[in-house]
Amino acid sequence: RVVDGFSRIVRLGEGLAQTGRLGEAAMARAYQALQACAQRIEARAPVAVGCVATQACRMASNGRVFLDRVEKDLGLRFDIISPEEEARLSVLGCASLLDPASDVALIVDIGGGSTEMSWVAPSAVLRAGVNAPILAWASTPLGVVTLAEEESEPEENLLDWYEARVARLMAMLSAIDPGEAVRAAFSDGRAHIVGTSGTVTSLAGVHLGLPRYERSRVDGYWFDVGDCRAVIARLLAQSPEQRAGNPCIGKDRADLVVAGGAILDAVLRTWPTTRIRVADRGLREGVLMRLMTARR
């Protein structure tokens, strides 16, 4: 039972690809958000706390320095986890959304600085509990922040630009080989995708026409791939200001949702399926499950 929740987009990896370091403005935004987290944690007095950092802190030369400052000032001790650990925690967090009727599922976690992909056998994951087996996993340096910073949207020929971008992303994804059995499952229609990220939940919220984002409507929703692509096409036809005005996107994601849509579209073209299970859960819930198991 969820008793409290808080999230904020801080773009910790802003400018990281160019400098190799976390920027002062990005660290200030993250620090402010973590102050709010620390206050909530103190008010709730939990029996256990789990804090993890991912791609931005893995890449940045000053990532550990920033986290040491957070621990000293706010008492939050962060572990910088590996890409494999990040993928495994996402699988654990999304396990209850897997369809056991499918032979294979691909769990896609599109983050700010990287995208983690895990191929699993749903029935095996559901049987295993916290020690969920993974058939294959991969991490790519494709994230919504890094992709949005790499190239601005042109004012003309936007569809051509988008298709060229998706083609480039597909070329990177095609180098990943999860195994012939996995590819066969997708080719034969025996697989589905679980999307865990702000990109997927935002696209689903837009498709559902929600007047405000509702986790209960989005989490677990079966999103038809055709409908998903239609939403991306609609957003491509809008200005950043129009996207920002959508309550399921907002100004913080207005310039990121198209980048995320391109990553998701490239994944869908590389591993085709007819539907996506939308997950408003993932890494965070995986950390929580691991904490609960450790406390037993």
Side-chain angles (χ1 to χ4, degrees):
R1 184 170 63 90
V2 177
V3 297
D4 201 351
F6 172 78
S7 66
R8 184 178 296 167
I9 297 171
V10 298
R11 303 186 190 221
L12 184 57
E14 185 178 65
L16 176 60
Q18 289 74 41
T19 66
R21 296 175 56 83
L22 301 178
E24 292 298 327
M27 288 190 290
R29 291 192 298 267
Y31 187 92
Q32 186 179 42
L34 290 171
Q35 276 185 312
C37 291
Q39 290 167 0
R40 280 174 158 77
I41 290 170
E42 184 178 9
R44 293 289 180 181
V47 296
V49 178
C51 304
V52 299
T54 56
Q55 182 71 359
C57 288
R58 283 196 294 261
M59 287 181 59
S61 60
N62 59 340
R64 187 72 260 174
V65 173
F66 172 64
L67 296 179
D68 287 345
R69 177 192 166 203
V70 168
E71 180 177 2
K72 179 182 177 182
D73 293 354
L74 306 178
L76 301 177
R77 184 174 183 178
F78 277 82
D79 294 324
I80 302 177
I81 60 175
S82 68
E84 181 177 8
E85 179 71 0
E86 184 176 356
R88 289 188 177 279
L89 288 170
S90 292
V91 170
L92 183 57
C94 294
S96 61
L97 295 180
L98 294 170
D99 181 2
S102 294
D103 290 352
V104 173
L106 166 57
I107 297 174
V108 182
D109 184 359
I110 303 172
S114 65
T115 294
E116 272 64 48
M117 292 172 287
S118 304
W119 291 266
V120 299
S123 57
V125 170
L126 293 170
R127 286 196 305 268
V130 72
N131 296 312
I134 295 179
L135 300 174
W137 71 275
S139 179
T140 65
L142 302 175
V144 294
V145 173
T146 50
L147 199 60
E149 289 181 347
E150 181 183 284
E151 188 178 4
S152 300
E153 294 181 28
E155 295 183 2
E156 298 180 353
N157 300 319
L158 188 58
L159 283 176
D160 291 341
W161 169 83
Y162 174 82
E163 287 296 327
R165 168 176 271 192
V166 172
R168 290 197 303 271
L169 296 175
M170 287 179 64
M172 297 177 65
L173 294 174
S174 64
I176 300 169
D177 183 13
E180 184 56 38
V182 169
R183 291 192 177 277
F186 278 90
S187 298
D188 299 341
R190 295 180 286 109
H192 73 275
I193 288 177
V194 176
T196 166
S197 70
T199 292
V200 182
T201 56
S202 294
L203 293 174
V206 172
H207 168 68
L208 291 169
L210 301 179
R212 61 180 179 82
Y213 183 80
E214 294 181 57
R215 183 182 189 274
S216 61
R217 294 281 305 278
V218 172
D219 186 50
Y221 177 70
W222 281 108
F223 201 177
D224 180 84
V225 167
D227 290 335
C228 179
R229 290 200 169 109
V231 172
I232 295 172
R234 192 196 318 171
L235 295 176
L236 279 170
Q238 295 179 346
S239 67
E241 292 75 22
Q242 289 174 315
R243 295 172 202 151
N246 189 296
C248 292
I249 297 176
K251 62 182 179 65
D252 289 334
R253 277 206 174 95
D255 63 335
L256 303 180
V257 68
V258 169
I263 296 172
L264 178 61
D265 204 351
V267 170
L268 290 170
R269 296 187 198 190
T270 305
W271 292 284
T273 183
T274 59
R275 58 182 185 159
I276 309 165
R277 194 83 190 266
V278 182
D280 189 338
R281 63 180 77 191
L283 175 61
R284 178 178 60 179
E285 285 71 20
V287 173
L288 178 60
M289 291 294 293
R290 188 172 64 180
L291 283 174
M292 292 166 66
T293 302
R295 294 291 299 182
R296 289 174 183 169

